Amino acid sequence: MTIKRLLLFGLTLLAILLSGLSLFGSWQKPQFQSSLELYQTNIVLQAQAWQPEQSNDENLKLIQAAIIGEDPLDNATKQYLEARQSVQTNLDKAKAELTKQRQLYPPQTSLDVTVPTPPKPLPNIQTSEVIKEKQLQKSISKLEKLLDELDLQLGILQAKQGQTDKALKTWSQLQKQQVTELEKTAIVLSGLWNNPPKLLPNAEQLIQKNLNGWFRSTALIELYQLQQRPDALLAVQDAQQQAATEAVFKLTIIGTIPTLTAFIGALLLFFLLGQRLVKGKDSVLAQNDDQRWSTPWNVETILQVFVLGFFLMGQLFIPTLLSILPIPHLAGNARSEAFYVLVSYVLVASGALSVLYFSIKRFFPLPENWFRFNIQGNWFWWGLGGYCTALPIVVIVSLINQQLWQGQGGSNPLLQLALESKDGIALGIFFFTAAIAAPFFEEVLFRGFLLPSLTRYVPVWAAILASSILFAAAHLSLSEILPLSALGMVLGVVYTRSRNLLAPILLHSLWNSGTLLSLYLLGS
């Protein structure tokens, strides 16, 4: 075995180790889906307050019922209870981890005179443990604040359903020794729904500051009614109606377009599968299904591209380079975070594609169908049809996946940034990164290079499966492996049948664009 092969073997083990640590590090992280469901629940709550001008129109009532569902307050309460339970579980785990940490590495005080001086390596370990302890304390503080916010909102939901005793009990959980803004707000809400009511002088300011959306307008309406302020009451009711109208519009887009697309995709999928059973090798799905690529390189080149160009570039080289370069990265600044994500992604993509180019350069000119971009042909219909069929498949897999992970397993951090960003320029940068840069780079690497390379050793269907699992694992989130593997298999089928990289790039771009559009509507 040559030195080059030994080095590549060692780097492969390092890449597997780093990627495995990142994957298992996402085990305890919450799924983005949990936050997304609460955002959608809040929009449904706004929409249920919608009262159209033709309030007696039965068709409008049916449309509203179809959009928001039956008993939206009860459904929202169940959603918030589930979210609260998930946060409480994570909080308990973090506190247990902190207790375990302190038992293993108890803080030394001036009274510990009998403790012998530790050897030199120990202070470094303790320093890392101190950092870990601070991270745990920070995580606990965030979870406790989130739990308080959920209790504020859950109490309002209970109060609006006539469950006043439950609401008062929920708000009482916030009243601790150290009174914060959220706890003061809980006291205000308890006063509003108490019998008799108790109005505090700073009630309006606390409600405006610590509640949002339907929860804020509901609390303000209750306050203004008790204060007998008709002008303020009318103003907040008008604002509530305007927000409700916008919420109905958003839910119509978010619900109608994906549902219609998924329905078309399901019909198309049944048609293609039926045609495959009836026509066999003459069907559309059988096109190129067993035709392998002529691959001039071996597994060593494949490992070289992925270990050096993708995993180590993304896990070591680029993060180190970004820590040295004076690139602004201000937490909480949407434009700064969006620009940082774009720069880091472009650097990783450029590095990986450079390694790919120099690794296969000696095999030029490449055999037929390698890295084929052909503007002619039916690639557009393959990409669009693939997107439609991917929707019902990934939705079903995602529903199963949610039951398996129960809100854990982590998610792509870009999704949360896109959801919370209200800056148009930042959203534009996110869109370029996710809907243009990512589809091009990932499809060239996974479908353009990896999938055809694997056909040297395994059949086409096995190459599709293997490349899909690696594509999912490369996103370094355990909870996303199943749905992204399903998406990767559709991308693989589209590419092997069309033999044109434009088809999976279009499908990938449509997928990411649809996700970003939904996030924008939910977060706006």
Side-chain angles (χ1 to χ4, degrees):
M1 185 180 287
T2 64
I3 295 177
K4 179 185 175 183
R5 288 183 177 177
L6 277 173
L7 182 62
L8 182 60
F9 179 74
L11 289 174
T12 302
L13 292 179
L14 178 62
I16 293 172
L17 176 64
L18 289 173
S19 302
L21 289 174
S22 296
L23 270 173
F24 286 106
S26 68
W27 181 283
Q28 297 296 339
K29 293 180 181 178
Q31 278 188 43
F32 172 71
Q33 185 68 24
S34 302
S35 300
L36 194 62
E37 286 172 354
L38 284 185
Y39 268 83
Q40 188 157 350
T41 297
N42 292 342
I43 293 183
V44 170
L45 287 172
Q46 287 185 322
Q48 59 94 30
W50 182 53
Q51 295 178 353
E53 294 181 1
Q54 296 89 8
S55 56
N56 294 326
D57 193 327
E58 290 298 325
N59 291 328
L60 289 176
K61 289 181 180 180
L62 290 173
I63 293 172
Q64 184 181 20
I67 293 172
I68 66 175
E70 295 182 5
D71 204 348
L73 288 177
D74 184 59
N75 291 334
T77 303
K78 291 176 182 176
Q79 192 73 50
Y80 268 83
L81 284 170
E82 290 177 6
R84 191 191 187 284
Q85 182 60 46
S86 176
V87 173
Q88 185 66 61
T89 302
N90 291 332
L91 180 59
D92 292 340
K93 288 179 181 177
K95 286 182 176 180
E97 183 68 22
L98 181 61
T99 302
K100 182 180 177 182
Q101 187 78 10
R102 286 174 173 171
Q103 289 173 347
L104 290 172
Y105 301 95
Q108 295 184 7
T109 66
S110 58
L111 297 176
D112 295 329
V113 291
T114 59
V115 177
T117 304
K120 282 189 176 181
L122 192 55
N124 293 331
I125 296 174
Q126 286 188 331
T127 301
S128 66
E129 296 303 328
V130 168
I131 294 172
K132 185 177 180 181
E133 183 174 326
K134 289 181 178 178
Q135 290 174 340
L136 282 170
Q137 289 173 335
K138 186 178 180 181
S139 177
I140 288 171
S141 297
K142 286 184 177 179
L143 288 169
E144 286 178 338
K145 183 182 178 183
L146 179 56
L147 199 63
D148 287 347
E149 290 173 348
L150 289 173
D151 280 338
L152 281 180
Q153 296 162 331
L154 180 59
I156 294 174
L157 285 167
Q158 291 167 335
K160 286 300 291 181
Q161 294 177 87
Q163 302 169 358
T164 308
D165 291 340
K166 282 187 178 181
L168 295 174
K169 185 178 179 181
T170 300
W171 290 322
S172 69
Q173 296 176 25
L174 277 76
Q175 297 170 24
K176 306 167 187 173
Q177 293 180 353
Q178 185 179 359
V179 181
T180 65
E181 289 287 310
L182 294 177
E183 280 125 33
K184 290 178 183 177
T185 309
I187 296 171
V188 166
L189 295 174
S190 297
L192 291 180
W193 271 277
N194 214 330
N195 188 18
K198 299 176 184 177
L199 300 180
L200 298 181
N202 60 343
E204 185 174 5
Q205 291 84 350
L206 287 168
I207 290 171
Q208 292 278 12
K209 183 177 180 180
N210 297 306
L211 293 172
N212 290 302
W214 177 85
F215 298 98
R216 177 194 289 170
S217 60
T218 300
L220 287 175
I221 287 172
E222 188 73 17
L223 174 66
Y224 296 151
Q225 285 176 340
L226 292 172
Q227 291 177 335
Q228 297 183 353
R229 294 169 57 188
D231 292 339
L233 179 62
L234 183 61
V236 74
Q237 287 175 335
D238 287 342
Q240 186 185 54
Q241 278 305 301
Q242 184 178 352
T245 304
E246 293 176 1
V248 169
F249 175 72
K250 290 177 185 178
L251 289 172
T252 302
I253 295 177
I254 294 171
T256 304
I257 296 178
T259 302
L260 182 61
T261 306
F263 178 71
I264 295 171
L267 291 178
L268 181 59
L269 187 61
F270 283 126
F271 170 76
L272 291 173
L273 291 174
Q275 187 192 54
R276 182 72 171 86
L277 290 172
V278 174
K279 291 190 175 182
K281 290 293 183 180
D282 294 329
S283 65
V284 174
L285 279 181
Q287 182 179 332
N288 299 322
D289 66 340
D290 57 357
Q291 182 181 342
R292 302 187 185 192
W293 276 259
S294 176
T295 307
W297 49 78
N298 58 19
V299 69
E300 188 176 315
T301 303
I302 301 173
L303 285 176
Q304 182 174 300
V305 170
F306 271 85
V307 171
L308 291 179
F310 187 77
F311 289 105
L312 292 184
M313 192 69 68
Q315 293 287 302
L316 284 180
F317 302 148
I318 298 306
T320 303
L321 179 63
L322 289 173
S323 66
I324 298 172
L325 294 175
I327 300 175
H329 184 206
L330 304 175
N333 186 307
R335 293 187 187 183
S336 172
E337 290 183 335
F339 181 72
Y340 185 84
V341 168
L342 174 62
V343 170
S344 60
Y345 195 89
V346 169
L347 287 174
V348 171
S350 301
L353 293 178
S354 298
V355 172
L356 171 61
Y357 172 76
F358 288 109
S359 296
I360 65 174
K361 183 181 178 182
R362 61 195 174 100
F363 299 104
F364 289 172
L366 298 177
E368 187 182 5
N369 287 333
W370 276 96
F371 302 106
R372 186 166 172 257
F373 290 86
N374 186 1
I375 198 67
Q376 298 178 345
N378 56 0
W379 63 270
F380 177 83
W381 299 111
W382 273 110
L384 182 61
Y387 172 68
C388 293
T389 54
L391 262 177
I393 293 172
V394 177
V395 165
I396 292 171
V397 173
S398 297
L399 291 173
I400 298 170
N401 190 61
Q402 280 182 259
Q403 297 302 313
L404 291 174
W405 288 101
Q406 295 294 319
Q408 299 300 301
S411 296
N412 189 338
L414 178 63
L415 299 177
Q416 191 71 38
L417 291 174
L419 178 66
E420 296 175 351
S421 175
K422 295 177 177 61
D423 185 286
I425 294 177
L427 287 168
I429 297 173
F430 282 134
F431 180 84
F432 179 83
T433 304
I436 298 176
F440 176 80
F441 166 58
E442 293 175 14
E443 293 314 305
V444 167
L445 199 63
F446 286 95
R447 255 61 63 181
F449 171 73
L450 178 61
L451 192 160
S453 298
L454 292 176
T455 61
R456 173 170 175 162
Y457 302 99
V458 296
V460 172
W461 67 265
I464 292 173
L465 179 61
S467 62
S468 300
I469 294 172
L470 285 172
F471 166 72
H475 288 76
L476 302 178
S477 176
L478 279 174
S479 69
E480 293 183 333
I481 286 182
L482 281 180
L484 286 179
S485 294
L487 177 62
M489 282 187 271
V490 177
L491 287 163
V493 169
V494 165
Y495 179 52
T496 54
R497 273 51 172 182
S498 67
R499 300 292 161 125
N500 191 340
L501 274 172
L502 290 176
I505 287 174
L506 174 63
L507 193 166
H508 201 148
S509 181
L510 287 172
W511 187 271
N512 287 357
S513 299
T515 302
L516 285 177
L517 176 61
S518 298
L519 294 178
Y520 169 72
L521 290 172
L522 286 173
S524 62

